[in-house]
Amino acid sequence: MGPVTFPEYAEVVKADAGERMNGLSHSERQALRDTLQACGTQPHRLLQVLRAWQSQAGWVSPSAMAEVAQALAVPLGQVQAVVAFYAFLHDRPQGRWRVRFSDHITDRMAGSPALVAQMLARLGVGLGELSAEGRATVGLTSCIGMGDQGPAMLVNERAMGRLTPERIDQVCELILSDTPMAAWPRDGWVVDDLVRRADVLLRASWAPGAALRAAVARGPQAMLDELKRAQLRGRGGAGFTTAVKWEAAREAPGDFRCIVCNADEGEPGTFKDRVLLHSHASRVIEGMAIAAHVVGASRGFIYLRGEYTNLLPGLEAELQRARQAGLLGRGILGVSGFDFDIEVHVGAGAYICGEETALLESLEGKPGRPRIRPPFPVTQGYLGRPTVVNNVETLCKVLPIALEGGERFAGLGTRQSTGTKLLSVSGDVARPGTYEYPFGVTIAQVLADAGGTGAQAVQVSGPAGVCVAASEFERRIAFEDVPTAGAFM
């Protein structure tokens, strides 16, 4: 059965809340059963079930929560807690058109407050309110990974950038006429990579599967040794040594191990992982497969932030291509026992899920709250099993090490920060976008390349990072000086 139609949904919105408590309609109950069948009824599938259902019904009613709790055999309180925790899940009716403006400093600098006011006036609705006919809800959200193409917003969780007063008027007309999103002008959804400077990773043209074949030819221990020579450190911000993490998971007791790609790029001002997932997803997948070979993992997840759902079809297509090429599945590359596959798990708007233990909680169908450590994920991670959690960029950096060796990788950058780093450059610059440099590049050099003449300060690594004044622009991007997950505003 297909999604709930607009007329049915309008009636839901208009219905008395007390009557809705009495249960789902027959068509809603059948649609929910179809959703459960498609998503699975294991407890750890809870978040995916709720996301899929809300995409049809527009919200998660108390009756739907009760049905889901019964079907997944989880406490109703857990379902309620999950709905309450994630910003993109709703326990009250929302508009058929859910608009969320990115309320980030670079969006504000580009004029987003005036655009928000323009849409509210045009649609006749207050901020965060449901319009009288149940058509639209307009609100604010945190950075959506579009800092290089702002002002930006999400429409039903699909990103739209480069907003102007003219585009806002156009979107309002489409909403007021209930034009299906499939019929909206395609140019409104274009998200460009804007790669301004490419180095080892973004400039390379490796053949798909070449790095995995090289890693398999080396063998798990030899590949681990190359990672140690490379001194690869995590690119998600913490800078933990990748080889140490992989080795700990490999040596942990148990016969089930998991590789998780942390694609919940939520740090304000960061968007370089969006570029990798859009144009280099095959490298992310291959890096995960190499990790699985070294660690001995059989299951993988890409945890994709809810703001990046427009990337989901491309990711699914790349995963299917990898399976067809023998790079995922059973007996990968003809190696008996090398069985590994990947599933995409989509988040629902929770910045904290970028923290690895909060991410694992979310993968298990719970609110994404950080765990107390120890134990660490490498010994007790997903479902209590040894788990490696790596950032998107980190997994991509494994490929040149597999192909060219650790010493060559370590020859770039600095002694404590080897290789290259992707920077998401935005704000008051002429050329915002993604820049790749060897570690050790000065802030002054990045500004010069990006057209940041006259900049008075640079915020590196979001609100939890460091604000660098003009007098310190000779400082270097490196773990030993100015570390960053990638944000450069």
Side-chain angles (χ1 to χ4, degrees), residues 305-372:
R305 71 181 303 209
E307 294 83 347
Y308 285 173
T309 52
N310 60 300
L311 299 176
L312 185 57
L315 281 174
E316 294 287 7
E318 284 294 341
L319 287 170
Q320 189 57 30
R321 278 192 282 271
R323 295 182 188 107
Q324 292 171 350
L327 305 177
L328 289 178
R330 298 184 63 82
I332 295 174
L333 296 179
V335 178
S336 177
F338 185 12
D339 306 329
F340 178 71
D341 211 336
I342 299 170
E343 175 186 344
V344 182
H345 179 107
V346 185
Y351 167 78
I352 191 61
C353 287
E355 194 277 331
E356 64 177 7
T357 63
L359 182 153
L360 292 173
E361 287 287 291
S362 185
L363 270 179
E364 294 179 2
K366 306 170 188 173
R369 299 189 179 96
R371 298 174 179 175
I372 296 173

Side-chain angles (χ1 to χ4, degrees), residues 129-481:
E129 297 177 355
L130 176 65
S131 60
E133 72 289 351
R135 176 175 283 114
T137 307
V138 180
L140 304 176
T141 190
S142 57
C143 177
I144 63 173
M146 292 280 287
D148 55 341
Q149 293 163 70
M153 66 183 179
L154 298 172
V155 181
N156 290 4
E157 297 172 27
R158 188 171 178 182
M160 177 179 289
R162 298 186 178 92
L163 299 177
T164 63
E166 294 74 22
R167 177 159 285 178
I168 292 297
D169 278 340
Q170 180 186 46
V171 170
C172 288
E173 287 296 332
L174 293 166
I175 289 174
L176 290 170
S177 62
D178 274 333
T179 302
M181 288 182 70
W184 286 30
R186 292 187 178 182
D187 60 351
W189 305 116
V190 173
V191 178
D192 295 317
D193 285 349
L194 295 183
V195 173
R196 306 294 191 178
R197 187 185 192 280
D199 209 294
V200 172
L201 180 59
L202 296 179
R203 193 172 56 208
S205 57
W206 304 307
L212 181 57
R213 289 184 176 87
V216 169
R218 277 197 172 93
Q221 184 58 55
M223 184 63 217
L224 189 61
D225 292 341
E226 292 298 334
L227 281 178
K228 292 178 180 178
R229 294 187 186 97
Q231 301 175 61
L232 175 64
R233 298 175 66 171
R235 297 316 200 238
F240 193 81
T241 306
T242 304
V244 172
K245 182 180 287 189
W246 288 19
E247 189 169 43
R250 183 182 177 201
E251 294 179 352
D255 57 2
F256 176 92
R257 292 172 177 79
C258 189
I259 306 296
V260 176
C261 171
N262 184 347
D264 192 57
E265 184 178 49
E267 180 184 75
T270 313
F271 46 81
K272 47 92 179 178
D273 286 353
R274 184 202 77 213
V275 174
L276 294 174
L277 292 164
H278 177 253
S279 296
H280 303 285
S282 63
R283 298 180 183 180
V284 181
I285 294 165
E286 197 164 344
M288 294 180 70
I290 292 172
H293 181 62
V294 172
V295 172
S298 58
R299 190 167 187 184
F301 291 99
I302 297 175
Y303 187 101
L304 183 69
R305 71 181 303 209
E307 294 83 347
Y308 285 173
T309 52
N310 60 300
L311 299 176
L312 185 57
L315 281 174
E316 294 287 7
E318 284 294 341
L319 287 170
Q320 189 57 30
R321 278 192 282 271
R323 295 182 188 107
Q324 292 171 350
L327 305 177
L328 289 178
R330 298 184 63 82
I332 295 174
L333 296 179
V335 178
S336 177
F338 185 12
D339 306 329
F340 178 71
D341 211 336
I342 299 170
E343 175 186 344
V344 182
H345 179 107
V346 185
Y351 167 78
I352 191 61
C353 287
E355 194 277 331
E356 64 177 7
T357 63
L359 182 153
L360 292 173
E361 287 287 291
S362 185
L363 270 179
E364 294 179 2
K366 306 170 188 173
R369 299 189 179 96
R371 298 174 179 175
I372 296 173
R373 294 178 289 184
F376 295 94
V378 289
T379 56
Q380 295 183 41
Y382 176 68
L383 301 179
R385 310 297 180 86
T387 303
V388 166
V389 182
N390 280 140
N391 166 263
V392 171
E393 184 184 352
T394 309
L395 290 161
C396 288
K397 291 292 168 63
V398 171
L399 273 67
I401 298 170
L403 287 164
E404 301 166 357
E407 289 187 9
R408 183 166 182 174
F409 186 91
L412 290 171
T414 71
R415 178 179 290 272
Q416 297 181 48
S417 308
T418 61
T420 63
K421 182 74 189 80
L422 271 60
L423 299 178
S424 304
V425 181
S426 65
D428 194 9
V429 293
R431 295 178 293 279
T434 299
Y435 291 73
E436 183 183 13
Y437 294 97
F439 268 118
V441 65
T442 64
I443 291 172
Q445 183 63 60
V446 178
L447 284 172
D449 292 345
T453 305
Q456 297 180 0
V458 174
Q459 180 69 28
V460 182
S461 271
V466 57
C467 189
V468 182
S471 60
E472 299 181 289
F473 282 177
E474 290 304 315
R475 293 184 67 180
R476 298 179 179 275
I477 300 295
F479 291 110
E480 62 268 33
D481 190 357

